[in-house]
Amino acid sequence: MTYRIAIFGSSGYAGGELIRLVDGHPDFEIAYLGAHTAAGRTLGSVHPHLRGGERMLESNDPAVAPSVDLAFLALPHGASAEPAMALLDQGAKVVDLGSDFRLDTPERYADAYGVRHPYPEELGRWVYGLPELHREAIATTDRVASPGCYPTSAILPLAPLMAGMLIESTGIVVDSMSGVSGAGRGVSAVLQFGAVDESAKAYKVLAHRHRPEMERALDDVAVDLVRLVFTPHLVPMQRGILTTIYARASEGVTGDDIGAALDAAYRDEPFVAIVDGSPETRWVVGSNRALISVHFEDRSGTVVLISAIDNLIKGASGQAVQAANIMLGLAETTGLPQEGWMP
Amino acid sequence: MTYRIAIFGSSGYAGGELIRLVDGHPDFEIAYLGAHTAAGRTLGSVHPHLRGGERMLESNDPAVAPSVDLAFLALPHGASAEPAMALLDQGAKVVDLGSDFRLDTPERYADAYGVRHPYPEELGRWVYGLPELHREAIATTDRVASPGCYPTSAILPLAPLMAGMLIESTGIVVDSMSGVSGAGRGVSAVLQFGAVDESAKAYKVLAHRHRPEMERALDDVAVDLVRLVFTPHLVPMQRGILTTIYARASEGVTGDDIGAALDAAYRDEPFVAIVDGSPETRWVVGSNRALISVHFEDRSGTVVLISAIDNLIKGASGQAVQAANIMLGLAETTGLPQEGWMP
Amino acid sequence: MTYRIAIFGSSGYAGGELIRLVDGHPDFEIAYLGAHTAAGRTLGSVHPHLRGGERMLESNDPAVAPSVDLAFLALPHGASAEPAMALLDQGAKVVDLGSDFRLDTPERYADAYGVRHPYPEELGRWVYGLPELHREAIATTDRVASPGCYPTSAILPLAPLMAGMLIESTGIVVDSMSGVSGAGRGVSAVLQFGAVDESAKAYKVLAHRHRPEMERALDDVAVDLVRLVFTPHLVPMQRGILTTIYARASEGVTGDDIGAALDAAYRDEPFVAIVDGSPETRWVVGSNRALISVHFEDRSGTVVLISAIDNLIKGASGQAVQAANIMLGLAETTGLPQEGWMP
Amino acid sequence: MTYRIAIFGSSGYAGGELIRLVDGHPDFEIAYLGAHTAAGRTLGSVHPHLRGGERMLESNDPAVAPSVDLAFLALPHGASAEPAMALLDQGAKVVDLGSDFRLDTPERYADAYGVRHPYPEELGRWVYGLPELHREAIATTDRVASPGCYPTSAILPLAPLMAGMLIESTGIVVDSMSGVSGAGRGVSAVLQFGAVDESAKAYKVLAHRHRPEMERALDDVAVDLVRLVFTPHLVPMQRGILTTIYARASEGVTGDDIGAALDAAYRDEPFVAIVDGSPETRWVVGSNRALISVHFEDRSGTVVLISAIDNLIKGASGQAVQAANIMLGLAETTGLPQEGWMP
C-alpha cells in the first residue's frame, strides 16, 4: 500500500530534502505540501531542483489539509506544537523535525527555551526519534520528536560508552563544525556568501539549545547525570557536520574496550559505521549514514570520538523518514540513500 | 530480468557516479569493476562515499572480466578503443564515456587529436549517444560514444535551431564555465584547492578538443558547415556546467521563432526543459536534467542561449546510463535522478 | 602635505576597501566617514577587519562633514548626484564610484536608467576616470566618475584595438564572470551562501547597465559606433572578474597586429600587463592590476581577449584612489597595491 | 638604513608571503631568493600575483648566496638546520619558520620527530619567536625559531592564564580548524579541490607535532607540567585558523579573573586583541593580528577560549617579520598589516 504523506514547512532546506526523499520513496506519496510565507507559490519557484515544479505549496494550517497517514513537520522552533496536536487529532502519525517535543519535562523545556511549553503534559509522551537507540518505542508510537543535527552527531558515539559506563559522564567536550545549511534558509546578513565564504567561526558559545538536548538524550542511557560543554562552529560548506568529542575513560578502561563497545553497538546498523582513520563529511553528504572513529590517548586516558553526518539527511530529513518507516512497519532503509555523492 | 554490467575506469569521478547510478538501478547489477592504478584496492578505499566498500576493483583488462550484458568505459582519452573492441567481440554492448569514438572520420580524428586512430574503420559505426537527437540509432546499436560534457551543454540548445536554419551556422560563440570535477580526479598542481578556490580562469583557449566534437555533432543536423569558437573556463565549484552561447539569427527570424523551436524540440523530453529567466547550475546538480533559457537582442539579432547541466551526470555518467537504458529496451528514465540536491 | 579625505558610503565593500587603502596611503588621512543605515555605529562593528574600530561612522550628508580636500562617494545608483554637487560647492574634489555621472548625455542616461538625470548639464563635465585612457583629463578636473567593474575589464582590452581600427566595432561579445562582492553588501536571498556556493549563473541577461557604459566609453575612442552584447555571470568566489571578449578582426589584420597594439598601449602602464597564456583572477586579487591575454583564431579571424581584475580594487576602490592621486598631483601608484595575495 | 634580506624556500605559500611583506617593508630589500625545485625559474612563474616577476629564484644553498643582514628560512621540516648554521657562520641573523629549532632539548626533539637532531647543542640557544612572550630575548639573539601556526593560536590565549595559575595545567583540549594553505603548497591527492571543497575532516588525531611544541612553549611559563590534547581539522578555505580551547579554571577562579588576566596581558600589544562575542577568521585574514575571546561556564568551571589568526601571516610570515623587526632594532610593527581584507 502507498501511504499518504503531508509535509508542513516545505520551503526550507529540510522541507526540500523531505520532498525529494518522499518523491523517491516507493511506498509514500505526497498528499499535501504546506508552507508559511511561500504558501500560494509553486514548488518549482521555491525548489527549482525538484521535479513536479507545478505543484502548489498550500498553507501550514492542518485544518485545510486532507487526511493523511503521516505528517512531517519541518517548522521553526515553537511553531510545531499546535499543528502537531491538530494532526494527531485528525488521526495522522506525526514526525516533528523541530525542537518542540524533544525535551522530556516542562522544567527542562523552560530552562532551555525560557518559556512555558504550551502542552506540558505531552512532553513525556513523544518518543525521541533516534532509531539506533529507540527503535522499539518508535515502532509503537504515533508521535516522534526527530533529533537535532548536532545531537545526532554527538549521541551516536557517546551513548554506547555512557550505557557501558566506559567514560565519565561529566567533563565531556563536544566540539562541532557544521555546513551553513544547518542555519536554515532564512535570509540574514550573517549568512550572506560574503560573510560566510572563506571564514570559520564559533557561535552561541555555551548557549546553544542543542546542549540540553544532548544531555537529556544521554541521561536516558547513562547511570550518572551527564554534563557536557558544547561549541558549534560554522564553516564554509553547504552540508555536513563533523563533531569531535573529548571524554575521560573510566578507571581501568582501555582504548580497546572503547572500540569494542562501539563496534558491538553498531555492527548491525544499516546507517552507522565505525571507520579506521577518521571520517570526512564528504563521505556521508547525500546519504543517511553516520561514520564514527575512535581514538585513545594513553597518557591522559582521553577518549576522542569523531563523527560525520549530513546535517540535512541523517541530521534531519533522512532520520525523520527512517523513523516514519519504522512507525509504518516498513523496512527501515526504504527510500533512504546509503550512498552519498562525491565530489 | 537483471542486466550484468561492467564498469572500466571505476576509480575516477565518472566511474564513481556510474557505480552509484548502477547500484541504484532496479534492472542493473554490477558484475565487474575495473581500474588502472587502483586495481587491487577495495571500492571503499577509493570511493568512501559508496556502500559495499569491501568490493574489489580488478584490472581494466576485459580479458579477465566475466561476460556481461553491457560495459561502461570511463577511461582517459586514447585508452578505450582497444578494450571497447575486445568487449564487443565478447558480445557485450559498449557505452564509451571517453572521446575515442566520438568523431566520425579518421581525418577529423587526426585533426583533433594529432594521431591516427587505431581502428579508423570503426569511426563511422559508433552512434553519438545524445538520446535527445539520436534515440533511434542508439536503440539499435551495440556501440555508443557518449558525448562530452561541454558538447552536451552546447548541442542541446543549438541543434534544433541549426536544424531549423533559424540561426547562422558560423560566427557562433560557445562560452562555458565548469566545476572542477570536469578536469577529472588526476592529481596536479593546477587542481589543488590552493590553486582553484577563489579563482576563475579560462584554459585551452581556442584549443579544446570539445570544439571539433561540437562541430561534428552539429554538422549532423545543420545544412551548412558549422563553425564556432569555444572557450572553457574553470570556476571554484565541484560540479556543474553553465554554457552561454551567442549566435546570429537568420534573416527575418524573431525571438519568438527561436523560443518556439526549442519548445517544440524539448516539450516531451524527460530530461530537458526550457526555463524562464536563466538557469543556475545548482538547479541541475545531482540530476540528469539539462535546463535551457533563450534570450534575443533585437537591435543586433543576437540569440543568447544559456544551458546548465551536471557535468558528471547529464554530461557523463547519467547520459551513459540513459543510452544504456535505450540500448537494452528499458524505459529511458529508469534509475536516473530527475531531482537534484540543493544546497 | 597630507590630504584630508572623506568617504561617503563607508559601510559597503567598496567603502571598506577605500578605508583600508586610505589608511595605508602615505599622503592621505581620513577626515570623515559617512554611512547611511550604519551611521552612528563604530567602524569596528561594521568592518571588523579594519583597525581603529572605535572610529564612528557619521551621516552621509555632506552638510555635516568637515571641509576636505577630496571625497570618495561609494553610494548606490542614484544616490551620489546630490552629495557630489554639494561637495563640489564646498570646494572638495570628488571621485564618484557610483554610476550617476558615467554616461555622457541626458539621452543615454535616460535610456539606460529609465529616469531623467537630476543634473543633466553636469553629464558632459565629469571625466570618466579610467587613468589608462584619460590621464590628462583626470589631472585637471575636480570631478571624476570612476568606471564600473565590468566596464574596466572590457574597456582596457578593447580600447586600443578600437582606436587602431583593428577590430570591427559591432558584433562584439563581452562575457564576464564575477565574484559575489560585485553585487554589494546588501542582504538578499539570492546572495545567501546557500544560494551562491557551488553554483554558477548568468543574471540581467541583455539588460545590465554596464553595457551602455562600455559602449559610451568605447565610442570615445572608436571611429564607428560600438555595439556589443554583454552577459555577466556570478560564480562562487568573493572577488575577481574574468572577462572573455570575442571580436572580429578587421580585414587583413593578423594576430600579431592585435598583440602589438596592446603591447604598445600598456607597455609602460604600472597597473596593466599583457600576459602569455591566460590570466587567473587569483593573480590580481588584492592588487590594483589588470592582466590581459590575447588569442587569435585564424580560420574565422576571431580575436579573443581575456582580462582579470579585482572588482573591488582596480574595478572600484583602487581605481578611485588611482584617479585621486592624479587629481592631487601625486605619483599615480602611491598607496596602491601592486602585489595581490595568494592563496 | 636598508637591511639586505634573503629568503630560502621562496616558492611555497609562506615564502610567497615573505616576499610580499619584504617587498612592502620600508627598511628591507630582497637580496636573494632561494628555492629547491623551483630554482632557476622566474618569480613570476611561481608567484604570478607578485610584482617583479622577472626576478630569478636561485638555489637554497647559502654558499652561493650573497652576504645578507638577515635570512628567513621557509623550508620543510628537517631542511633548515644545516643552512641555518651556515648562514649564522656567514654573519647573518636567522629567522627559521620551520620546526627544526622550536623544541628545547634533544630528548623532546627525538620524542616528537623520531630522529636525533643534527645540532643538539643548538636547541637551547634558539629563541622561540613569539614576540608577545619573548620580546626581550628576541631583541638580543641572532637565531629565532618562529612558532608554528597552531601553537601561535593556542599559546597566546593560554600563556597568561598558565602564568597566573588561573587554569589547571592538565586536561586541556585544543581543537583547531585551519584553512588549507596550512598544509603547504606541495601537490597531493588529499589537497585537490575535489577532495577538500565542501568537506571537513580531522587529521593526525593525537599525533600532530604541534602538540609537543605547544606543551614546550607553555611549560616555559607554567608552574606545573602542561598536558594537552590537540586535534587539528581541515576546513574548505584558503587561510585562517580558528582554535577553540577548553580548560578547567583553578579552584576559586572566576570568569572575570580570566578576562582580566587576558586583558592585562594584551592591552598594549599591537597585534593581539581580546574581543567581545567570538572572533571569525575573516576578521584577521590578511593581517598580522590575533583575536581572542573568553567564555566561562559556571556550572563546570570550564574556561573556553577562542582565537583567530591568519595562518600564513601571524602564524608564519608576518610573525617572522615581527621578530626580524625586533632583532634589527626596528619598530615592531614596521611593514606589517594591521588591517586584513574582507570579503
Side-chain angles (χ1 to χ4, degrees), chain A residues 242 275-281 283 291-293 306-308, chain D residues 200-202:
Chain A
L242 192 82
V275 299
D276 295 331
S278 64
E280 311 186 10
T281 58
W283 301 356
L291 300 180
I292 298 170
S293 69
I306 302 177
S307 68
Chain D
K201 63 180 162 194

Side-chain angles (χ1 to χ4, degrees), chain C:
Chain C
M1 92 170 257
T2 297
Y3 293 97
R4 290 166 53 81
I5 305 292
I7 296 170
F8 293 85
S10 302
S11 64
Y13 290 142
E17 281 296 83
L18 279 169
I19 296 170
R20 190 172 69 90
L21 291 173
V22 173
D23 275 348
H25 194 292
D27 303 314
F28 288 174
E29 69 173 16
I30 290 177
Y32 189 77
L33 295 174
H36 181 51
T37 54
R41 294 176 55 189
T42 62
L43 178 61
S45 72
V46 173
H47 293 300
H49 63 299
L50 298 180
R51 70 178 165 80
E54 68 287 353
R55 289 180 275 180
M56 291 301 297
L57 304 189
E58 312 288 346
S59 146
N60 266 341
D61 180 1
V64 304
S67 166
V68 296
D69 296 299
L70 186 143
F72 294 105
L73 305 184
L75 301 169
H77 158 66
S80 49
E82 205 154 342
M85 299 315 296
L87 286 157
L88 288 167
D89 280 349
Q90 294 170 20
K93 297 176 192 293
V94 174
V95 179
D96 180 16
L97 284 77
S99 58
D100 287 15
F101 295 106
R102 288 186 197 148
L103 297 182
D104 51 352
T105 64
E107 293 70 31
R108 229 196 268 249
Y109 184 88
D111 183 42
Y113 291 97
V115 293
R116 292 190 52 210
H117 197 281
Y119 299 91
E121 69 286 0
E122 277 293 310
L123 288 180
R125 301 182 59 194
W126 286 68
V127 175
Y128 191 70
L130 196 61
E132 288 78 10
L133 294 190
H134 303 297
R135 189 167 279 124
E136 292 71 21
I138 295 169
T140 56
T141 188
D142 58 358
R143 58 201 75 184
V144 161
S146 204
C149 50
Y150 289 123
T152 297
S153 76
I155 297 164
L156 285 173
L158 283 170
L161 307 183
M162 288 285 184
M165 290 190 290
L166 298 173
I167 54 173
E168 296 183 20
S169 65
T170 61
I172 296 166
V173 169
V174 177
D175 193 286
S176 294
M177 55 190 77
S178 174
V180 178
S181 60
R185 207 179 177 185
V187 176
S188 90
V190 297
L191 297 178
Q192 297 282 107
F193 186 80
V196 167
D197 181 51
E198 297 293 310
S199 196
K201 63 180 162 192
Y203 67 102
K204 294 191 184 164
V205 181
L206 297 176
H208 197 286
R209 284 157 174 175
H210 280 175
R211 198 261 307 150
E213 183 183 332
M214 292 176 196
E215 290 181 348
R216 175 259 148 119
L218 291 169
D219 276 340
D220 281 354
V221 299
V223 175
D224 297 315
L225 192 70
V226 175
R227 281 289 167 88
L228 56 84
V229 172
F230 168 55
T231 311
H233 300 80
L234 210 58
V235 298
M237 58 190 196
Q238 300 276 24
R239 290 182 183 226
I241 285 178
L242 192 82
T243 290
T244 303
I245 302 168
Y246 305 84
R248 287 190 295 270
S250 301
E251 188 68 31
V253 168
T254 67
D256 286 349
D257 297 336
I258 301 288
L262 283 162
D263 272 331
Y266 295 122
R267 189 179 301 129
D268 298 326
E269 285 294 339
F271 294 119
V272 183
I274 311 300
V275 299
D276 296 331
S278 65
E280 310 185 10
T281 58
R282 282 309 292 230
W283 300 358
V284 296
V285 164
S287 83
N288 197 48
R289 291 199 302 166
L291 300 181
I292 298 170
S293 69
V294 187
H295 315 266
F296 191 75
E297 198 207 36
D298 281 310
R299 63 174 196 161
S300 65
T302 304
V303 180
V304 180
L305 304 163
I306 303 178
S307 68
I309 61 168
D310 182 326
N311 57 302
L312 292 180
I313 303 186
K314 184 60 179 170
S317 303
Q319 184 143 268
V321 169
Q322 190 180 350
N325 284 341
I326 298 171
M327 294 166 83
L328 294 167
L330 300 170
E332 189 171 326
T333 58
T334 313
L336 285 169
Q338 286 179 298
E339 306 200 322
W341 52 74
M342 190 170 77

